[in-house]
Amino acid sequence: MVGVNTAVEKADVESPTINSHDISAAQPSTLSTHTMALCLLLLAAALAFTAATNVEDCGSTATISNLIITGCDVPPCHFQRGTNITVDIDLKNNEATSKLTTKVTATLAGVEVPWTGADPNACDNLTKGSCPLEAGEESHYKASAPVLKSYPPVSVIVTWKLVADSGKTTICFIVPATVV
């Protein structure tokens, strides 16, 4: 060891000193590790509850920033008879309109039929923004449609549209679903 120290002394190089305080400061404390793990867990849980539903756009003129069908993250959605389908949409309207009309249909074996019970006046279901809507206005639409007990257990394609007073489709999405 004397030779190593002598070589270091001759090169005028100081050896770094490490004390136990420096080592413990470089390692995360147990408390911060647990806090970080808890934060990550809470973030993952929050994302799971607010995950957007994977749907297919069918000609929306508005920009959709988030679309959630309650209880359905990945299609096909399972719609329980005797309950409601609830849709939450964050959108940026790209065209001014004085009104929006809701149109919901189900396609079964190539035949499109109305899905009854959705409020046709979509303006009444805006929880952010109101009609008339300006171009560029950000809005939030939340609406429900019943899954009637009389509906047979069947697989369908649900189409949900919000139509502007010009006749243009502001929002349009389709999602495969199974009525159970």
Side-chain angles (χ1 to χ4, degrees):
M1 287 305 236
V2 173
V4 172
N5 286 340
T6 305
V8 169
E9 288 173 7
K10 288 182 181 175
D12 285 340
V13 176
E14 294 182 23
S15 65
T17 58
I18 299 175
N19 61 41
S20 62
H21 178 69
D22 292 333
I23 293 173
S24 64
Q27 296 175 349
S29 70
T30 304
L31 179 60
S32 66
T33 302
H34 291 299
T35 303
M36 186 173 19
L38 179 60
C39 288
L40 289 173
L41 180 64
L42 291 173
L43 178 63
L47 290 174
F49 285 112
T50 60
T53 305
N54 187 16
V55 299
E56 182 180 333
D57 188 273
C58 51
S60 300
T61 59
T63 303
I64 299 171
S65 58
N66 195 29
L67 189 152
I68 299 170
I69 301 172
T70 303
C72 180
D73 294 335
V74 180
C77 298
H78 296 280
F79 297 148
Q80 181 68 43
R81 290 178 289 169
T83 65
N84 288 323
I85 304 167
T86 301
V87 174
D88 280 287
I89 305 173
D90 291 315
L91 63 120
K92 182 176 180 183
N93 195 42
N94 292 323
E95 178 182 315
T97 185
S98 61
K99 68 178 187 174
L100 286 173
T101 304
T102 304
K103 295 183 180 182
V104 183
T105 60
T107 303
L108 172 65
V111 179
E112 188 174 68
V113 295
W115 191 291
T116 60
D119 183 356
N121 185 351
C123 293
D124 289 344
N125 295 292
L126 293 175
T127 59
K128 177 183 176 187
S130 62
C131 291
L133 289 171
E134 300 297 323
E137 184 174 351
E138 292 185 6
S139 303
H140 180 84
Y141 168 82
K142 182 174 184 174
S144 296
V147 183
L148 301 178
K149 288 184 179 184
S150 62
Y151 289 172
V154 65
S155 293
V156 296
I157 301 296
V158 176
T159 304
W160 198 296
K161 292 182 182 181
L162 302 183
V163 181
D165 55 7
S166 66
K168 290 184 179 177
T169 304
T170 302
I171 296 290
C172 182
F173 69 87
I174 60 173
V175 63
T178 302
V179 176
V180 293

